[in-house]
Amino acid sequence: MLAYSLLLSALLSIPLMAAAEEQLTLGQFLNEVRGQNLTLKAESASAHAAREGAIGAALPAPMVGITQMQDQSGKANGFEISQSIPFPTKLSSDHSARENEADAKKAMQTFGQREILAEAKLLYFNLWKAQERMTLLQEKKNATGQH
């Protein structure tokens, strides 16, 4: 229902009559919806971020540590640097999981876009039907007024 109200507000913000006889076509309207719908833009950005995150190896961050110990023999200072490197099959399975996640986000984006465009088409045709009825009523009024 929220998507329906968003589409309705987008529909009302787009002027359907650019000139007296020139109407906005369905293709132009759908392009406007694609360009102005924030849900589509957010899903597209999310899918793009997931695709970019799937590239490369995801290694854990390196660790750096400083140690200070004191025992009976005196003080001992030291430092430690470590980097854990996962087993290669874990790296490949993580990469595969990230790719699958990116594919799923892309599929969800496509589904969301198709759903929003279907609702936009329904709104467009309902508006077109209302405009045609108004035109016919105006013609009928003009025809009955002449008699």
Side-chain angles (χ1 to χ4, degrees):
M1 192 62 168
L2 176 64
Y4 186 75
S5 63
L6 289 175
L7 283 173
L8 184 60
S9 64
L11 177 66
L12 294 176
S13 69
I14 299 170
L16 287 178
M17 300 294 274
E21 291 122 19
E22 184 180 337
Q23 289 188 348
L24 186 66
T25 65
L26 177 62
Q28 291 169 335
F29 176 69
L30 293 179
N31 286 336
E32 289 289 329
V33 169
R34 280 187 199 99
Q36 292 183 5
N37 192 292
L38 296 179
T39 304
L40 290 178
K41 289 180 180 181
E43 287 179 358
S44 176
S46 175
H48 182 69
R51 179 60 60 197
E52 291 297 319
I55 298 172
L59 294 175
M63 293 179 20
V64 176
I66 297 175
T67 58
Q68 290 183 333
M69 295 188 296
Q70 187 173 6
D71 56 7
Q72 291 91 5
S73 63
K75 271 187 159 175
N77 294 330
F79 65 94
E80 172 186 12
I81 299 174
S82 68
Q83 170 71 55
S84 69
I85 300 175
F87 200 67
T89 55
K90 182 175 180 347
L91 285 176
S92 65
S93 65
D94 285 349
H95 180 70
S96 176
R98 288 192 315 268
E99 283 184 341
N100 289 338
E101 180 184 357
D103 292 341
K105 286 198 183 246
K106 179 67 176 167
M108 288 301 294
Q109 175 199 5
T110 303
F111 172 75
Q113 181 178 13
R114 287 182 181 165
E115 184 179 30
I116 288 172
L117 292 179
E119 290 178 16
K121 287 177 185 178
L122 179 65
L123 283 173
Y124 180 85
F125 286 120
N126 285 337
L127 182 63
W128 174 80
K129 185 170 79 172
Q131 286 177 338
E132 288 299 314
R133 281 185 180 169
M134 287 175 51
T135 303
L136 290 174
L137 287 173
Q138 186 64 36
E139 288 175 6
K140 184 178 178 181
K141 181 181 175 184
N142 291 342
T144 57
Q146 291 175 356
H147 291 289

